[in-house]
Amino acid sequence: MSDQHADPNAAPHQARHFETLAIHAGQEPDAATGAVVPPIHQSSTFKQDGVGGLRGGYEYSRSANPTRTALEENLAALEGGRRGLAFASGLAAEDCLLRTLLVPGDHVVIPGDAYGGTFRLFAKVAERWGVEWDVADSADPAAVRAALRPRTKAVWVETPSNPLLGIADIAALAGVAREGGARLVVDNTFASPYLQQPLALGADVVVHSTTKYMGGHSDVVGGALVTADESLGEELAFHQNAMGAIAGPFDSWLVMRGVKTLAVRMDRHCANAARIAGMLEAHPKVARVYYPGLESHPGHEVAAKQMRGFGGMVSFRVAGGEEAAVAVCDRAELFTLGESLGGVESLIEHPGRMTHASAAGSALEVPGDLVRLSVGIEAVDDLLADLTRALG
Ligand code: PLP
């Protein structure tokens, strides 16, 4: 698998490895006190030394806040970008991005599998403002190329996708988007920058729900955008301030604290998920398993090329159909029944009735017999025992 994470040509501080950047980028000890952990600057405004005399460059916390800046610098470093921006949620980040990139009459190609809320944002919100969209299978660059129109401004992909763990070839799609005069947006929530760095593969913007692996402890809702394009970064920052859906200081601090352990958590998520996917693949009550680490997965080779590991998300279809899938969710105990993902604790859910209910009846509708697991970092034998019992 690739190791895109230490760039030998970068400036010395940028040449540091991912694990080091996660702990130190944007997080110098506090200049005033020496505090090793960046303080939570829970202040809406900043004293000015005379009108316009800003002490540290800060004036009002919607525009910028030192705790949020620390997180934003950290995110930019981890994704290998130049500008990171932190938002109140993943969807707030997506909304800011689409209103920065698109005006009425513009067109966007969206994936055939994606988080239901992302689909809802395009189908139920952006469309009302005159943004047009078509669905194309992100695993098929030719299909994405065929969906481009003269006014296509963005190709939007999730890889791995939610909930079917589809894999898009980021480098190939970057070429397709570039030829079509569009920008490639990659939602990197499922992989995290530890496993995959879309900007290095040619993407223009990375989207995150930091609620998930970045926060990592199911205690914060947040979102982020990262780009290597400074002028796009400026436009995004303008819209972030003008629209106002920023991450607050405490939420920024929680995400930063989570990110410090991202690498070690992801290693365990990957190892546990691989064991569980293997068990499910051999289980008589499981009809199909979706995990990019399995050789049977159609995107396995692309995933191996562009990811450091295959992640902690596993979906599977239950042989007995929808009611049997719901029953598995209900019987699980250690896997907590709940939406969201990416925390240290394992979660189980029924996408058709829960996270993806908003895609019902659309091209993004998910199978009724599908169960999605967010495999946590508990002892894998306990997780295997719980699932085996839940499958009955
Ligand atoms: N992108 C993906 C892949 C997601 O799974 C989610 C939420 O589940 C989002 C974006 C939206 O993020 P948030 O819930 O933080 O608004």
Side-chain angles (χ1 to χ4, degrees), residues 89-92 94 115 118 158 162 187 189-190 208-212 221-223 340-341 372:
S89 69
L91 281 176
E94 294 183 19
Y115 169 55
T118 298
E158 276 180 19
N162 182 2
D187 185 328
T189 299
F190 267 35
H208 276 285
S209 168
T210 54
T211 315
K212 312 297 174 355
V221 172
S340 202
L341 59 112
R372 190 190 75 182

Side-chain angles (χ1 to χ4, degrees), residues 86-159:
F87 293 85
S89 69
L91 281 176
E94 294 183 19
D95 181 37
C96 179
L97 177 58
L98 74 85
R99 285 200 267 170
T100 303
L101 294 182
L102 307 165
V103 295
D106 284 346
H107 175 253
V108 53
V109 180
I110 64 169
D113 185 48
Y115 169 55
T118 298
F119 173 69
R120 184 178 54 203
L121 184 64
F122 282 103
K124 300 273 164 63
V125 181
E127 191 175 296
R128 291 182 59 224
W129 299 95
V131 170
E132 298 179 14
W133 53 274
D134 279 303
V135 174
D137 178 3
S138 310
D140 179 359
V144 173
R145 185 180 289 111
L148 294 173
R149 296 194 205 158
R151 285 196 64 174
T152 305
K153 293 287 165 55
V155 171
W156 193 291
V157 303
E158 276 180 19
T159 183

Side-chain angles (χ1 to χ4, degrees), residues 272 276 328-338 343-349 373-390:
N272 282 0
I276 284 170
V328 171
C329 294
D330 287 342
R331 279 196 297 262
E333 285 174 6
L334 190 52
F335 277 86
T336 303
L337 178 60
V344 291
E345 63 287 299
S346 293
L347 298 176
I348 190 167
E349 68 125 358
L373 304 175
S374 173
V375 180
I377 63 171
E378 301 95 335
V380 72
D381 288 339
D382 294 337
L383 297 176
L384 289 165
D386 190 47
L387 266 188
T388 306
R389 202 189 38 74

